[in-house]
């Protein structure tokens, strides 16, 4: 049989297979959750964003350099038929005392617009649903307004 016995070859193959499994699991192939998988811990969002929204959980976060700096904070998303759009967006513009053109001058204090159709983060009651915006408590709306800049990435899940 030569220099290497059958048992030695089986052990070598087992070692190669185990090594491959460890390497592949490091890339997430084996289904192992990674600490540094490109997502911000505790959120559904990538580490490239500055604002993150989880509609199902009714929570939002502010993120800097891949770390949560505020949140989770409670939100009120859009009502059925006026759902808050999901996806990747960027901050388009801001207005501290905005009045809605679409909804009879409804106040939208500390509005941070990020999606088509006038969708924004803004101060509002959390006990009702919006026409697509992400409503925040006063103190959270102020923080979102002050933290976010035009061009900043926003993800809504």
């Amino acid at each position: 049989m030569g220099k290497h016995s059958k048992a030695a070859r089986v052990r070598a193959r087992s070692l190669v297979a185990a090594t491959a499994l460890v390497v592949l699991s490091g890339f997430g192939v084996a289904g192992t959750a990674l600490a540094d998988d490109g997502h911000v811990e505790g959120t559904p969002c990538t580490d490239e964003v500055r604002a993150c929204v989880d509609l199902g959980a009714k929570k939002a976060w502010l993120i800097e350099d891949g770390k949560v700096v505020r949140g989770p904070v409670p939100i009120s998303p859009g009502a059925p038929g006026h759902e808050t759009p999901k996806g990747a967006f960027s901050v388009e513009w801001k207005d501290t005392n905005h009045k809605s053109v679409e909804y009879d001058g409804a106040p939208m204090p500390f509005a941070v617009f990020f999606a088509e159709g006038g969708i924004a983060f803004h101060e509002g009651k959390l006990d009702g649903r919006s026409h697509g915006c992400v409503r925040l408590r006063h103190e959270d709306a102020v923080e979102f307004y002050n933290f976010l800049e035009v061009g900043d990435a926003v993800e809504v899940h």
Side-chain angles (χ1 to χ4, degrees):
M1 270 253 187
K3 256 169 129 169
H4 301 290
S5 70
K6 185 175 181 182
R9 285 193 307 269
V10 169
R11 282 192 302 272
R13 276 191 227 124
S14 297
L15 180 60
V16 168
T19 302
L21 183 60
V22 168
V23 169
L24 291 176
S25 68
F27 291 108
V29 176
T32 304
L34 302 175
D36 189 18
D37 65 353
H39 281 77
V40 177
E41 187 175 344
T43 79
C45 295
T46 65
D47 56 10
E48 301 296 317
V49 302
R50 300 265 292 162
C52 174
V53 178
D54 184 337
L55 296 173
K58 295 184 181 178
K59 294 179 182 177
W61 298 261
L62 291 175
I63 298 165
E64 187 165 24
D65 298 325
K67 304 233 185 288
V68 172
V69 295
R70 186 174 186 90
V73 300
I75 65 160
S76 178
H82 298 281
E83 289 83 2
T84 303
K86 294 180 181 180
F89 306 95
S90 62
V91 173
E92 296 173 359
W93 60 290
K94 299 169 27 170
D95 185 356
T96 53
N97 295 304
H98 188 74
K99 304 282 188 224
S100 173
V101 175
E102 294 89 352
Y103 298 102
D104 300 322
M108 297 170 62
F110 303 100
V112 179
F113 293 88
F114 63 87
E116 285 187 39
I119 305 300
F121 295 108
H122 66 81
E123 178 183 339
K125 295 179 182 178
L126 300 185
D127 58 356
R129 293 285 189 98
S130 73
H131 285 95
C133 289
V134 177
R135 291 185 186 163
L136 300 161
R137 297 178 300 199
H138 170 77
E139 60 273 14
D140 296 324
V142 170
E143 286 299 317
F144 273 62
Y145 185 88
N146 290 334
F147 183 81
L148 294 170
E149 299 294 331
V150 171
D152 282 351
V154 175
E155 282 182 21
V156 180
H157 294 270

